[in-house]
Amino acid sequence: MDIFNTFIELLRQTGNVTKGQGDIDESSPRWLLKQEVPKVVKSINRQLREKSIKTKVGAFSVLKELVVVLPDCLADHFGSLVPGIEKALNDKSSTSNLKIEALAFTRIVMASHSPSVFHPYIQALSGPILSAIGDRYYKVTAEALRVCGELVRVLRPNFEARSIDFRPYISPIYKAILGRLANQDQDQEVKECAISCMSLVIATFGDGLQSELPSCLPILVDRMGNEITRLTAVKAFAVIANSPLRIDLSCVLDHVVSELTAFLRKANRALRQATLGTLNSLVVTYGGQIGSSSYETIIAELSTLISDIDLHMAALALELCCTIMVDRRSIKNVGLAVRHKVLPQALVLIRSALLQGQALQALQKFFASLVQSANTSFETLLDSLISTAKPSQSGSLSKQALSSIAQCVAVLCLAAGDQKCASTVEMLKGILNDDSSTNSAKQHMALLCLGEIGRRKDLSNHVQIENIVIESFQSPFEEIKSAASYALGNIAVGNLSKYLPFILDQIDNQQKKQYLLLHSLKEVIARQSVDHTGQSELQDSNIVKILALLFNHCESEEEGVRNVVAECLGKIALIEPNKLIPALKERTCSPAANTRATVAIAIKYSIVERPGKIDAIMYSEISTFLMLIKDSDRHVRRAAVLALSTAAHNKPNLIKGLLPELLPLLYDQTVVKQELIRTVDLGPFKHVVDDGLELRKAAFECVDTLLDSCLDQLNPSSFIVPFLLSGLGDHYDVKMPCHLILSKLADKCPSAVLAVLDSLVEPLEKTIVHRPKGDAVKQEIDRNEDMIRSALRAIAALSRISGSDYSMKFKNLMNKITATPSLAEKYNSVRSE
């Protein structure tokens, strides 16, 4: 068994090393392992012929791990393993453990290989598997039922073509599962597996089981009434409803819908979630057989789920509403129920600052479906949305809420048709043209709506719309200027050939509006890089003009302008890496520090989590940009540290090979440098300014990120003393990330921390006993409280290290905390978090 355990561990390590990799190349561990598969299988077959049960169990364990690491590796060898599986399941001397391992391997191999691999062996395997369903030991039965589920998929992998005659197997499989399904007196695991397996059988072979369905389906309905099996039964009906065979559920449909509707009121979140999914599937497949009153009841229950308390549940509820409206739009009562019950809740939800992602997409789809259902007029819905954006007594809406409303207005206009959309755009233009209007909130909303509509539809038919929007750049309100910039950029997305040259020309000629216009350009570029349409939308000539303009502004004295330029360059690099990366690399040697810093920040924006065509070229060139960490200018060094931090978070493989050279340079940025500290004479008093503070903070935050993604490349002992030790006694902004780093090191590298524990006590003690001055303002008091709690979290992490109580200094610190009521209370609070 020891050799099996060693081999299993080796397989797991191979899987971990190559996790996330796509194709296997000839130098990878997986490729090398694949070459050895025939030898492994031959050896395993020998072991399966041994008398030792332990040996056979170990052999099946190895096969399981092999299939996990190399899916489809046994396609040419499965036939040689079938006798071993049969023997393990049929032999009277086989133990339960051996049967479970053999079944588990069979399940995993069936799930990871093409069904055609198993068709020659169905007759040999089906008998032992079905016999195992009747085993006395519940774990064997449960595993056999899971294998049976995979067997069902193998027998009928698709419904169009028949690759094997599965009809002789339907009745034996059905009877074996029904025996377990109908039996109430058995383990919960077996009950759940039987329900799941029967749903697969009905969904796959239902056209050959018409006579059995009236006796089988009521059993599944009955299992919905049992609290233990309820969730599994709900999911089972979703599987049946999704079957392309359109199984006849007429004998139980009303009962099922009634039960599911009641489940929407249950406290069990997983049950409500599964119920919404199942109801959606039932409405799609059997919508015409569900009565109007049932729909009204469902809609009433759905309205209670639409809130920002649980956005995922709200999204599922809205999706079900849309399905009902699309399928049952001819039923007047359904439309009225949605308008009176769901719409008010949707208008409350849209004001939430938390609304985003799937929930926001579902809400947009809801408004589009509602206007298309003909039960609610476009004008009514538009007025409801616009009025929702008005500030309430509790104050103005959040930026996210206004954005959500604007997106829903845009989707509503597009769903209503070109005529309604055009009239809405003219109405919004009228709000911006109205010189007498003093309602800034109304103008703000109009700009956001124009931007969202323009992003989705070409607005070039609306004369002078770009000039009307750009007039809002003169507004005294920052939020209106920002919204106008956003609107202009998004309108340009709808028709790049017309509006992009306009934006570029304005950037060249309007110096005062440059920052806002660059933001408009950023919107255009960002949309192209996210939507992966840069190749076709942004033409080469446009890219050349944009790059010339952006590089001209790299040396701008305004940091805000440089940051926008950097983001634009980073996003263009995602679209055209072969043009951008060499151009950026060339500018790392620029004599202007602002240009070098802008280039480093641009690289930060180009390193995103999703894979892209930039990855290959970035892998070979990133070192040039990160080595700016040793630049003479502190702004450039900070930009390089931020780029390194982003790479460590999003794509650590880009930098792992560079860390031996980069880490000493990074650690050097954490040290207080006296040459960066200056005293400013303010007349009556002097003020000390630390220009290196932001750089030190960024460096420690980068180390924190590296601990999460590249721990194997770090040597904690060389970092803790003196660098982390120095940070623990530094400024508030530096101490906070240092406390977090110390907590992680205590958890991940306890021995390194334990070796220097005594030296860590003093700076931590100074932090927790620090008191703000008597004339300190509330903000300073709150910051100090946050710092104390942060230090106490680090101390709590240190206390969990085995052997920390052998340090007398640390022991005395813990005694001091315990003896001080205010500290003891905070310490107990952070420990219970």
Side-chain angles (χ1 to χ4, degrees):
M1 281 301 289
D2 287 344
I3 189 67
F4 285 132
N5 291 334
T6 303
F7 193 65
I8 288 169
E9 187 57 35
L10 177 64
L11 289 172
R12 285 175 181 163
Q13 291 299 324
T14 303
N16 289 335
V17 167
T18 55
K19 192 179 288 182
Q21 293 183 4
D23 297 334
I24 305 175
D25 61 65
E26 293 188 9
S27 62
S28 74
R30 287 172 68 197
W31 186 87
L32 296 171
L33 177 61
K34 195 167 187 178
Q35 309 315 302
E36 301 300 320
V37 167
K39 293 180 184 176
V40 173
V41 172
K42 188 176 180 181
S43 176
I44 291 290
N45 270 321
R46 258 199 324 269
Q47 306 303 323
L48 290 176
R49 289 194 290 271
E50 296 284 330
K51 289 185 177 180
S52 169
I53 298 295
K54 282 187 177 181
T55 302
K56 292 178 183 178
V57 169
F60 280 119
S61 297
V62 168
L63 286 171
K64 274 197 308 182
E65 288 298 331
L66 185 64
V67 173
V68 169
V69 175
L70 288 174
D72 203 35
C73 68
L74 297 180
D76 299 328
H77 310 284
F78 183 73
S80 66
L81 296 168
V82 170
I85 298 170
E86 282 187 275
K87 189 175 181 184
L89 296 178
N90 288 334
D91 199 324
K92 291 182 180 179
S93 64
S94 294
T95 63
S96 296
N97 278 349
L98 177 57
K99 289 181 180 180
I100 291 168
E101 286 297 322
L103 288 165
F105 162 67
T106 307
R107 172 174 55 83
I108 292 170
V109 79
M110 282 185 170
S112 59
H113 287 65
S114 169
S116 59
V117 170
F118 309 100
H119 288 167
Y121 315 106
I122 293 293
Q123 192 170 356
L125 288 173
S126 61
I129 292 169
L130 296 180
S131 296
I133 291 175
D135 197 276
R136 287 180 297 176
Y137 185 42
Y138 77 94
K139 283 193 176 293
V140 174
T141 303
E143 195 57 60
L145 285 164
R146 292 189 193 101
V147 178
C148 197
E150 294 299 334
L151 181 64
V152 168
R153 292 190 184 98
V154 165
L155 281 167
R156 197 174 191 179
N158 64 68
F159 292 83
E160 287 76 30
R162 184 180 293 185
S163 50
I164 183 176
D165 185 10
F166 54 80
R167 289 172 298 178
Y169 302 100
I170 296 177
S171 181
I173 290 173
Y174 172 78
K175 287 176 181 176
I177 299 167
L178 184 64
R180 285 297 182 179
L181 181 68
N183 187 356
Q184 289 273 37
D185 185 23
Q186 55 191 348
D187 187 83
Q188 182 185 345
E189 188 180 356
V190 174
K191 289 179 182 178
E192 291 178 348
C193 289
I195 292 167
S196 299
C197 196
M198 184 57 85
S199 69
L200 278 170
V201 170
I202 294 172
T204 309
F205 303 133
D207 50 351
L209 291 168
Q210 288 99 332
S211 58
E212 282 81 6
L213 291 180
S215 60
C216 175
L217 290 173
I219 299 175
L220 290 177
V221 175
D222 182 63
R223 297 298 176 266
M224 286 175 66
N226 187 320
E227 197 168 341
I228 294 174
T229 55
R230 183 172 288 161
L231 179 59
T232 309
V234 168
K235 292 177 180 178
F237 274 103
V239 172
I240 295 169
N242 288 327
S243 170
L245 298 176
R246 295 183 68 87
I247 307 300
D248 181 11
L249 295 183
S250 56
C251 60
V252 295
L253 185 60
D254 290 341
H255 193 168
V256 170
V257 171
S258 174
E259 286 280 332
L260 291 171
T261 307
F263 292 164
L264 293 175
R265 294 191 291 270
K266 298 291 183 182
N268 186 331
R269 185 178 185 275
L271 178 63
R272 280 183 286 136
Q273 188 173 319
T275 297
L276 288 167
T278 301
L279 279 170
N280 207 325
S281 300
L282 288 170
V283 170
V284 169
T285 309
Y286 308 101
Q289 300 172 40
I290 299 173
S292 175
S293 60
S294 295
Y295 279 123
E296 290 180 53
T297 309
I298 292 170
I299 291 165
E301 295 297 341
L302 291 179
S303 65
T304 64
L305 299 176
I306 298 170
S307 77
D308 62 1
I309 295 172
D310 189 334
L311 284 175
H312 181 60
M313 204 67 69
L316 294 176
L318 286 165
E319 285 168 5
L320 177 53
C321 253
C322 294
T323 304
I324 291 171
M325 283 190 285
V326 170
D327 279 42
R328 303 291 96 204
R329 67 178 62 178
S330 58
I331 303 177
K332 185 178 179 182
N333 290 351
V334 169
L336 291 173
V338 171
R339 193 167 76 196
H340 295 307
K341 297 280 186 181
V342 180
L343 179 58
Q345 296 302 115
L347 292 172
V348 172
L349 176 63
I350 204 172
R351 294 173 63 92
S352 171
L354 304 175
L355 184 62
Q356 59 181 322
Q358 184 190 0
L360 178 55
Q361 290 172 5
L363 196 58
Q364 292 173 24
K365 187 180 174 186
F366 168 76
F367 281 107
S369 300
L370 193 55
V371 76
Q372 289 169 345
S373 68
N375 285 298
T376 309
S377 72
F378 167 76
E379 289 75 15
T380 303
L381 285 173
L382 183 63
D383 288 345
S384 298
L385 284 169
I386 297 292
S387 60
T388 301
K390 293 177 182 176
S392 62
Q393 292 180 349
S394 57
S396 300
L397 291 182
S398 67
K399 188 177 179 181
Q400 177 59 43
L402 291 172
S403 173
S404 300
I405 294 168
Q407 288 180 61
C408 288
V409 167
V411 170
L412 181 70
C413 290
L414 266 67
D418 290 344
Q419 188 176 350
K420 300 288 187 186
C421 187
S423 64
T424 304
V425 171
E426 290 301 318
M427 180 266 290
L428 295 170
K429 279 173 61 181
I431 293 172
L432 299 179
N433 276 328
D434 187 1
D435 294 331
S436 62
S437 176
T438 57
N439 190 337
S440 61
K442 202 172 181 181
Q443 292 178 335
H444 187 195
M445 196 65 225
L447 287 164
L448 292 176
C449 290
L450 282 174
E452 292 297 340
I453 295 170
R455 177 160 66 88
R456 295 167 170 84
K457 184 177 176 64
D458 180 7
L459 298 185
S460 57
N461 290 334
H462 297 271
V463 182
Q464 297 293 310
I465 190 168
E466 67 274 27
N467 290 314
I468 292 170
V469 170
I470 213 168
E471 281 297 313
S472 296
F473 284 13
Q474 311 291 344
S475 171
F477 301 106
E478 285 299 320
E479 66 269 17
I480 289 184
K481 289 195 278 190
S482 175
S485 171
Y486 176 84
L488 182 61
N490 279 283
I491 289 170
V493 171
N495 188 337
L496 283 177
S497 59
K498 177 171 182 178
Y499 295 118
L500 183 56
F502 171 79
I503 292 174
L504 297 176
D505 181 60
Q506 289 288 313
I507 293 172
D508 275 337
N509 299 320
Q510 300 284 343
Q511 292 296 318
K512 290 182 179 178
K513 300 174 183 176
Q514 211 166 68
Y515 177 70
L516 293 169
L517 288 162
L518 282 168
H519 267 286
S520 297
L521 180 60
K522 184 194 78 176
E523 285 295 327
V524 175
I525 296 166
R527 294 292 176 190
Q528 303 307 312
S529 65
V530 170
D531 297 340
H532 302 289
T533 55
Q535 291 278 21
S536 56
E537 296 288 333
L538 275 180
Q539 297 175 357
D540 287 348
S541 57
N542 286 332
I543 289 178
V544 170
K545 289 177 186 175
I546 291 170
L547 290 181
L549 186 148
L550 292 174
F551 284 132
N552 283 340
H553 289 85
C554 278
E555 295 180 33
S556 172
E557 292 302 315
E558 293 183 48
E559 186 180 1
V561 169
R562 293 199 307 272
N563 284 337
V564 179
V565 167
E567 188 170 353
C568 290
L569 288 169
K571 299 300 182 188
I572 295 177
L574 292 171
I575 302 169
E576 291 288 350
N578 292 320
K579 289 181 182 176
L580 255 291
I581 300 300
L584 292 172
K585 183 179 178 181
E586 183 184 330
R587 285 164 176 81
T588 58
C589 302
S590 169
N594 283 347
T595 297
R596 300 196 302 275
T598 303
V599 164
I601 294 294
I603 290 299
K604 168 182 173 278
Y605 282 113
S606 70
I607 303 171
V608 294
E609 284 190 83
R610 67 178 186 272
K613 53 187 176 182
I614 192 175
D615 294 348
I617 188 169
M618 185 66 86
Y619 190 83
S620 59
E621 301 291 354
I622 194 169
S623 61
T624 305
F625 301 102
L626 296 182
M627 284 305 164
L628 289 171
I629 200 171
K630 55 185 179 183
D631 196 274
S632 58
D633 186 272
R634 61 185 169 86
H635 296 102
V636 179
R637 294 201 300 275
R638 181 172 177 270
V641 168
L642 293 174
L644 174 59
S645 188
T646 301
H649 183 272
N650 292 342
K651 287 180 178 164
N653 286 335
L654 283 177
I655 58 158
K656 281 190 174 180
L658 305 173
L659 286 179
E661 189 177 358
L662 284 171
L663 285 175
L665 299 170
L666 176 64
Y667 294 162
D668 187 51
Q669 308 312 312
T670 66
V671 178
V672 177
K673 291 183 169 58
Q674 293 302 318
E675 63 269 24
L676 294 178
I677 298 175
R678 54 194 168 90
T679 303
V680 180
D681 194 342
L682 298 174
F685 57 90
K686 293 181 179 180
H687 179 60
V688 177
V689 178
D690 185 351
D691 289 326
L693 177 60
E694 287 300 316
L695 176 55
R696 296 200 302 280
K697 180 186 174 187
F700 277 116
E701 287 172 346
C702 182
V703 172
D704 180 44
T705 305
L706 288 167
L707 281 175
D708 291 330
S709 58
C710 306
L711 179 62
D712 56 328
Q713 304 291 314
L714 275 63
N715 178 6
S717 300
S718 63
F719 168 70
I720 297 173
V721 179
F723 304 109
L724 182 59
L725 193 58
S726 168
L728 290 171
D730 204 331
H731 185 274
Y732 167 89
D733 288 339
V734 174
K735 282 183 181 180
M736 296 291 274
C738 286
H739 292 153
L740 189 56
I741 290 170
L742 183 55
S743 298
K744 288 182 180 178
L745 286 172
D747 178 47
K748 297 178 178 181
C749 311
S751 56
V753 177
L754 193 60
V756 293
L757 184 56
D758 282 358
S759 61
L760 300 172
V761 170
E762 184 182 348
L764 289 170
E765 186 173 3
K766 282 183 179 178
T767 299
I768 63 174
V769 299
H770 181 266
R771 295 289 176 269
K773 296 176 183 177
D775 59 349
V777 296
K778 185 178 184 299
Q779 186 182 9
E780 290 175 315
I781 295 169
D782 290 344
R783 278 164 63 94
N784 188 66
E785 283 296 305
D786 289 342
M787 188 167 64
I788 291 172
R789 293 177 72 87
S790 174
L792 288 171
R793 285 190 191 94
I795 292 169
L798 293 174
S799 70
R800 290 192 290 269
I801 298 177
S802 176
S804 61
D805 50 341
Y806 290 116
S807 166
M808 286 307 297
K809 286 189 176 182
F810 186 71
K811 199 171 184 179
N812 291 336
L813 175 62
M814 293 302 296
N815 290 336
K816 185 172 185 176
I817 293 170
T818 309
T820 309
S822 60
L823 288 176
E825 183 184 350
K826 290 171 190 168
Y827 181 73
N828 291 329
S829 173
V830 299
R831 285 200 68 178
S832 62
E833 287 176 352

